[in-house]
């Protein structure tokens, strides 16, 4: 791996927005072989995968974020990226209790869709473990009645951008993958 820089960066326009719109979960290992455009001139972008899998979409708004902590040791000559996804799901339901329990037992791959429609893969190689969270009723009328989750992944890359992802299909650019979306539950109305 080359350690030499490959270019500079101009100051961008002030047209970016923060926040997460959706998160898409895939059971660990379901992505199959993942192709990443890496190397000295690569973008570290995911350009293809060959798995057959179902993904599960959760809409989120407010109080959800993705942060990556860079850990580099001069003494050990090592570097890795701790990807920390914090998600808030309002409203308690028995269905979510079950699904979030299963998520906690596993270590899914997670696609994060930002409000400016960028798609980032968390836990590409190693999956993302639920490392904390709460189920809260709230105390006052305006308090959160719902769930908070923290998922953490340790990877050799920052979260990878995904080539060709769209709002309708986060895996649209993956010609080798067969992906289908599960049905989203509406926590406001019982089935």
């Amino acid at each position: 791996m080359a350690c030499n820089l490959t270019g500079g960066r101009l100051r961008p326009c002030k047209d970016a927005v923060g926040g997460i719109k959706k998160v898409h979960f895939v059971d660990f290992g379901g992505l199959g072989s993942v192709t990443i455009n890496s190397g000295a001139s690569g973008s570290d972008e995911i350009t293809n995968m060959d798995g057959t899998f179902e993904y599960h979409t959760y809409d989120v708004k407010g109080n959800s974020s993705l942060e990556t902590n860079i850990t580099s040791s001069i003494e050990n000559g090592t570097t890795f990226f701790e990807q920390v996804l914090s998600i808030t799901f309002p409203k308690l339901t028995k269905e979510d209790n079950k699904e979030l329990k299963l998520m906690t037992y596993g270590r899914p791959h997670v696609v994060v869709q930002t409000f400016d429609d960028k798609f980032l893969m968390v836990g590409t190689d190693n999956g993302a473990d639920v490392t904390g969270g709460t189920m809260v009723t709230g105390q006052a009328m305006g308090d959160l009645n719902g769930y908070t989750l923290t998922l953490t992944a340790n990877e050799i890359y920052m979260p990878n951008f995904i080539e060709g992802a769209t709002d309708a299909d986060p895996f649209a650019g993956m010609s080798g993958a067969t992906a289908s979306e599960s049905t989203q539950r509406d926590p406001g109305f019982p089935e």
Side-chain angles (χ1 to χ4, degrees), residues 108-145:
H109 307 284
V110 187
V111 175
V112 174
Q113 180 179 351
T114 66
F115 269 115
D116 53 359
D117 286 324
K118 292 185 173 41
F119 294 78
L120 300 158
M121 180 70 74
V122 173
T124 301
D125 291 333
N126 302 315
D129 289 292
V130 174
T131 55
T134 60
M135 174 184 158
V136 298
T137 61
Q139 189 172 14
M141 293 282 281
D143 290 349
L144 173 65
N145 171 290

Side-chain angles (χ1 to χ4, degrees), residues 75-110:
E75 296 82 7
N76 298 331
T78 58
T79 300
F80 70 93
F81 301 91
E82 180 188 51
Q83 306 166 2
V84 181
L85 177 61
S86 300
I87 313 169
T88 300
F89 300 120
K91 195 162 192 173
L92 298 172
T93 70
K94 63 184 177 193
E95 294 83 9
D96 285 334
N97 272 8
K98 179 181 177 188
E99 286 300 314
L100 298 179
K101 176 183 75 173
L102 294 172
M103 188 183 302
T104 301
Y105 291 165
R107 56 181 167 129
H109 307 284
V110 187

